[in-house]
Amino acid sequence: MLTKALILGISVLPPLPPTTAAHDASLVVYERTGGFAGRNDKVIVDRDGTATVLSAGHLTLTSTELRGLTTDLARITTTWSSSAGCQVADHFTYTISYENWRATRCHEIPADWRPAVDRLDALIDR
C-alpha cells in the first residue's frame, strides 16, 4: 500500500493538528524553544481547560487555574514581536498566540507576559 501511495503521490500520513490559537477550541498556544539544552516546549490550552503539552500529553486545568490563565492573558498589552535578545547565545525564544495576535520574544519577555508565561511553564513542568 505504501509503495502504491508513493507511486501515485498520495499521502498516507494523517493531517497535522492546528498549531495556532486561531483554532476555535484553543485559548492559547505557547512555545518555548532554545536554551543551552535546546528545548522545544509547546502547550495548547483549549477553552474548556484541556491542555496538550508536547512532551507530556494531556492535562486538565482546574476552573481556578483556567480563570487565572485567562485573566493573565487578557492583561497582556505587549502584542508585537521583537528580535531584541535573539543575538544572545543559548537564549530562549517565547511565542504566544492568543485571541487575534501572535508575538515572539527572545531572551527576556515583557513584564506583562510574566504571569501567563509562569503559568504555562508550570504546565510544561507538571
Side-chain angles (χ1 to χ4, degrees), residues 83-107:
S83 61
C86 291
Q87 301 77 17
V88 175
D90 300 325
H91 71 274
F92 279 105
T93 300
Y94 304 88
T95 301
I96 295 177
S97 300
Y98 172 69
E99 295 294 326
N100 297 319
W101 60 269
R102 175 183 169 95
T104 299
R105 292 299 177 113
C106 298
H107 189 57

Side-chain angles (χ1 to χ4, degrees), residues 34-54:
F36 182 74
R39 295 187 71 130
N40 186 16
D41 299 317
K42 183 174 184 175
V43 178
I44 302 169
V45 179
D46 289 343
R47 296 181 189 285
D48 68 359
T50 302
T52 303
V53 180
L54 181 67

Side-chain angles (χ1 to χ4, degrees), residues 5-110:
L6 290 173
I7 292 170
L8 296 174
I10 300 171
S11 174
V12 293
L13 300 175
L16 295 174
T19 58
T20 67
H23 186 265
D24 289 338
S26 295
L27 172 67
V28 64
V29 178
Y30 169 69
E31 298 171 76
R32 177 182 66 184
T33 60
F36 182 74
R39 295 187 71 130
N40 186 16
D41 299 317
K42 183 174 184 175
V43 178
I44 302 169
V45 179
D46 289 343
R47 296 181 189 285
D48 68 359
T50 302
T52 303
V53 180
L54 181 67
S55 60
H58 297 284
L59 307 168
T60 302
L61 279 66
T62 66
S63 59
T64 302
E65 289 173 320
L66 182 60
R67 192 169 38 255
L69 176 60
T70 302
T71 298
D72 292 341
L73 289 165
R75 290 182 178 154
I76 294 175
T77 58
T78 309
T79 58
W80 59 92
S81 295
S82 172
S83 61
C86 291
Q87 301 77 17
V88 175
D90 300 325
H91 71 274
F92 279 105
T93 300
Y94 304 88
T95 301
I96 295 177
S97 300
Y98 172 69
E99 295 294 326
N100 297 319
W101 60 269
R102 175 183 169 95
T104 299
R105 292 299 177 113
C106 298
H107 189 57
E108 293 185 26
I109 58 171

